[in-house]
Amino acid sequence: MSGEKGGLDRVLALELARVAERAGVAAARLRGRGDEKAADQAAVDAMRRELGMLSIRGTVVIGEGERDEAPMLYIGEEVGAGDGPAVDIALDPLEGTTLCAKNQPNALAVIALAERGTLLHAPDVYMQKIAIGPGYPAGTIALDATPRDNVHAVAKAKGIDVGEVTACVLDRPRHAALVDELRETGVAIRLIGDGDVAGVIHTTDPEETGIDLYFGIGGAPEGVLAAAALRCIGGQMCARLILDTDEKITRAGRMGVDDPARIYAVEDMAAGDVIFAATGVTDGSLLSGVRFSKDRITTHTLVLRSSSRTVREIRAHHREEGKFD
Ligand code: VTB
Ligand code: MG
Ligand code: MG
């Protein structure tokens, strides 16, 4: 069966949901155990095994690290059964390892699949980001505008007072000045311990999540994954890689980044048809975490497809627990 539009067969959306579910269940089995590494490893193994069953010729472009530092799902690794379309894969089998270890909200198993050559090949460095959901005029936010201007632009576009806007920021010392500037505007700040893929996606449904915009510096891989989601749901994001050493500039250059200061919009990071799936590992404002009961496992997965713009939530009851072994 083929998709009615877009370059990717829509059947892949369900396949991708399975991949996220499997990684999510593996991580959730180790949720709240205080062992980030074990949960991460379980998610990586599970995601890799399930990916191996997909009829794709996939290349990991956003993965667990650069080739010499990650044994599995590293950037450049070929994944899939090798008999289908050539695609780019971006993944983070456990986004928010600390959230999972501490059983705090919004740990996710995340994967995106796109037409070959259409995802930004970002090195594992930091990225400065700002994001809002759909429904705003183009250019409402800008990376080089002040936090005050960005917050006012969002409030104006929404027709509310700045005091009614909520911004999400990673709780890090590097954001002290940003938080101070935001405080002066009167905006509410949701400080999160980890998980800026979830943080950015939260802006797409403020009524549900209470978050209007996302600010700050997080991982570049997470930035590309978030852009893949926004490409499907709608929304705006501006981002810049933080390439503050010659070594990082060279590394990025090898991946095709020729302008270290470039500001990327959603379409620059996810340029083609893309499918995105995220399974909740811990409970969160968008997705419930995995539930284990006597004879079933329940998963909650968000599945997005850019060509149709369908936002699908799949709550699955898995009765055969053995399939996750
Ligand atoms: C960032 C963020 C992620 O880890 O990579 C963060 O993008 C790491 O930041 O969502 P620090 O180096 O300051 O700890 C996450 O929060 C989780 O992977
Ligand atoms: Mg990871
Ligand atoms: Mg991560």
Side-chain angles (χ1 to χ4, degrees), residues 19-319:
V19 176
E21 284 172 354
R22 185 157 182 179
V25 169
R29 280 191 167 132
L30 291 163
R31 182 176 58 199
R33 305 304 202 276
D35 191 343
E36 311 182 5
K37 284 218 171 83
D40 196 30
Q41 189 62 54
V44 169
D45 288 348
M47 186 169 270
R48 189 160 181 266
R49 249 177 291 142
E50 194 70 29
L51 262 176
M53 296 180 202
L54 254 61
S55 289
I56 53 167
R57 284 175 294 129
T59 304
V60 175
V61 301
I62 297 290
E64 282 300 281
E66 290 167 45
R67 194 181 292 258
D68 37 1
E69 67 197 29
M72 255 190 231
L73 298 180
Y74 53 82
I75 300 170
E77 186 173 341
E78 302 292 326
V79 291
D83 60 351
V87 293
D88 281 357
I89 303 277
L91 51 81
D92 198 347
L94 180 53
E95 157 59 357
T97 53
T98 307
L99 299 175
C100 178
K102 294 183 175 175
N103 203 351
Q104 289 176 338
N106 296 315
L108 304 174
V110 189
I111 184 160
L113 181 154
E115 291 175 287
R116 173 66 49 94
T118 62
L119 289 178
L120 176 67
H121 295 209
D124 201 353
V125 297
Y126 283 116
M127 177 186 257
Q128 188 187 353
K129 316 168 190 179
I130 178 166
I132 50 176
Y136 293 94
T140 297
I141 49 168
L143 202 60
D144 288 330
T146 61
R148 165 177 295 276
D149 287 347
N150 280 314
V151 163
H152 278 272
V154 166
K156 186 167 172 236
K158 278 194 90 170
I160 58 177
D161 290 339
V162 169
E164 290 162 8
V165 172
T166 302
C168 179
V169 179
L170 269 176
D171 194 3
R172 293 290 186 280
R174 63 177 176 266
H175 291 146
L178 169 66
V179 167
D180 283 348
E181 281 186 66
L182 287 171
R183 292 275 181 238
E184 280 172 23
T185 68
V187 76
I189 306 175
R190 169 100 49 103
L191 284 168
I192 56 170
D194 272 298
D196 73 5
V197 176
V200 171
I201 296 176
H202 279 32
T203 66
T204 65
D205 194 355
E207 306 228 320
E208 193 63 35
T209 64
I211 289 171
D212 299 293
L213 77 163
Y214 182 85
F215 271 110
I217 295 171
E222 283 84 355
V224 177
L225 281 163
L230 292 194
R231 167 95 196 181
C232 301
I233 310 180
Q236 297 172 44
M237 185 168 167
C238 312
R240 180 167 43 215
L241 296 169
I242 301 188
L243 300 172
D244 49 5
T245 64
D246 288 343
E247 186 269 333
K248 287 181 197 168
I249 293 173
T250 310
R251 201 145 46 94
R254 269 193 260 118
M255 296 180 129
V257 175
D258 41 26
D259 175 5
R262 178 164 173 195
I263 294 179
Y264 296 91
V266 169
E267 299 71 25
D268 302 318
M269 292 186 273
D273 194 11
V274 55
I275 298 170
F276 175 98
T279 298
V281 175
T282 57
D283 281 345
S285 356
L286 268 179
L287 292 168
S288 303
V290 178
R291 291 274 180 284
F292 298 96
S293 63
K294 187 164 172 293
D295 37 34
R296 74 177 189 196
I297 297 174
T298 304
T299 52
H300 191 189
T301 302
L302 182 68
V303 187
L304 311 170
R305 200 169 149 246
S306 67
S307 56
S308 61
R309 294 230 148 171
T310 311
V311 176
R312 196 174 258 118
E313 281 180 45
I314 302 182
R315 217 177 268 275
H317 300 304
H318 310 273
R319 293 190 180 273

